[in-house]
Amino acid sequence: MTALYFDLDGTVAHHTISFETMFERARREVNVPDYDGLHNTYVSSFLDYFGNCHSKPYRAALDDLCDEFDIDIDGETFAAALIETELEHTEVTDGVHELLASLANDHVLGILTNGAEHVQRAKLERHDLDSYFDATVVSCAVGVGKPEQGIFEIARDELSGDEFVFVADDLERDVLPAQRAGFTGVLLSESVDSRAEICIEALSDVRSIVG
């Protein structure tokens, strides 16, 4: 049996607005003034926490931001608004429900994603995707993220299969590291790259790959 992992953001689902626009909408919602450098400071702090697999990178970065700019609101409130804005502006890829329902009949399925666990799981639940997956491996929950080999080793332990496949839209961060870990790498892209073992233009093409 094939164990088939999917990346989440950019593969199974995608954002409909930029992260900067999400930040601006959340900022206005919680009535935070538009201080010069506010967004850039947040991004720098968030990426540090995110890269270190902090369990709540949104909250930690916004706590720092509120302290640095002396903002009269707590980071948790700001983070909740930002996360809700991200969830509201996340859509699933066309045909994903039909594909996953079909694959689940004869394969074990998993999500392998970088992110905050509560946010990534909320995306799956919001779009009724969570029931398709037998495992959900999230970087900030397991303490290591792509492209590090450790997260692929954890994913391999979470599912049983004769073959492991990983479908994702990023060659350098996702597909090539997966291939080095012994997964069959499937690149979702409009452009073909010979370094990927398999390239597909549409997510629905996965059905023809795994049989």
Side-chain angles (χ1 to χ4, degrees):
M1 179 178 290
T2 299
L4 183 58
Y5 273 100
F6 291 86
D7 176 44
L8 179 51
D9 297 316
T11 303
V12 170
H14 60 275
H15 298 108
T16 59
I17 59 176
S18 70
F19 284 107
E20 184 171 3
T21 301
M22 293 178 198
F23 180 86
E24 286 303 307
R25 292 186 180 183
R27 177 189 64 76
R28 291 194 296 269
E29 181 178 332
V30 294
N31 298 314
V32 170
D34 187 16
Y35 296 109
D36 185 42
L38 193 70
H39 176 256
N40 288 341
T41 301
Y42 164 71
V43 169
S44 178
S45 182
F46 176 81
L47 290 177
D48 284 342
Y49 284 115
F50 190 81
N52 290 320
C53 294
H54 190 284
S55 61
K56 294 185 177 181
Y58 295 78
R59 165 72 183 275
L62 288 167
D63 275 338
D64 289 350
L65 189 75
C66 291
D67 287 343
E68 181 170 345
F69 286 83
D70 195 24
I71 296 171
D72 188 23
I73 190 174
D74 60 273
E76 184 174 5
T77 299
F78 201 158
L82 181 54
I83 290 167
E84 181 58 29
T85 301
E86 181 174 350
L87 294 176
E88 288 176 354
H89 294 283
T90 300
E91 294 182 350
V92 297
T93 301
D94 288 344
V96 71
H97 281 280
E98 294 81 1
L99 172 67
L100 294 175
S102 173
L103 292 171
N105 291 328
D106 46 16
H107 300 87
V108 287
L109 306 180
I111 284 287
L112 175 55
T113 176
N114 285 355
E117 183 176 30
H118 61 297
V119 178
Q120 300 302 75
R121 288 187 180 275
K123 290 175 187 175
L124 296 174
E125 293 169 4
R126 195 179 190 96
H127 296 287
D128 297 321
L129 294 172
D130 51 315
S131 63
Y132 295 115
F133 298 106
D134 304 289
T136 300
V137 180
V138 187
S139 64
C140 289
V142 301
V144 61
K146 300 173 294 183
E148 300 299 324
Q149 292 292 287
I151 195 168
F152 295 99
E153 295 168 4
I154 291 169
R156 187 181 289 275
D157 289 339
E158 287 293 313
L159 293 179
S160 297
D162 302 315
E163 178 187 8
F164 285 80
V165 177
F166 185 44
V167 182
D169 67 313
D170 190 294
L171 181 71
E172 300 289 345
R173 185 190 61 215
D174 295 329
V175 175
L176 294 182
Q179 291 175 179
R180 290 193 290 270
F183 286 62
T184 297
V186 180
L187 177 63
L188 175 62
S189 173
E190 295 180 355
S191 302
V192 173
D193 193 304
S194 61
R195 292 175 293 170
E197 292 175 315
I198 300 172
C199 295
I200 58 175
E201 292 187 3
L203 193 62
S204 58
D205 294 337
V206 171
R207 177 75 264 183
S208 62
I209 293 171
V210 298

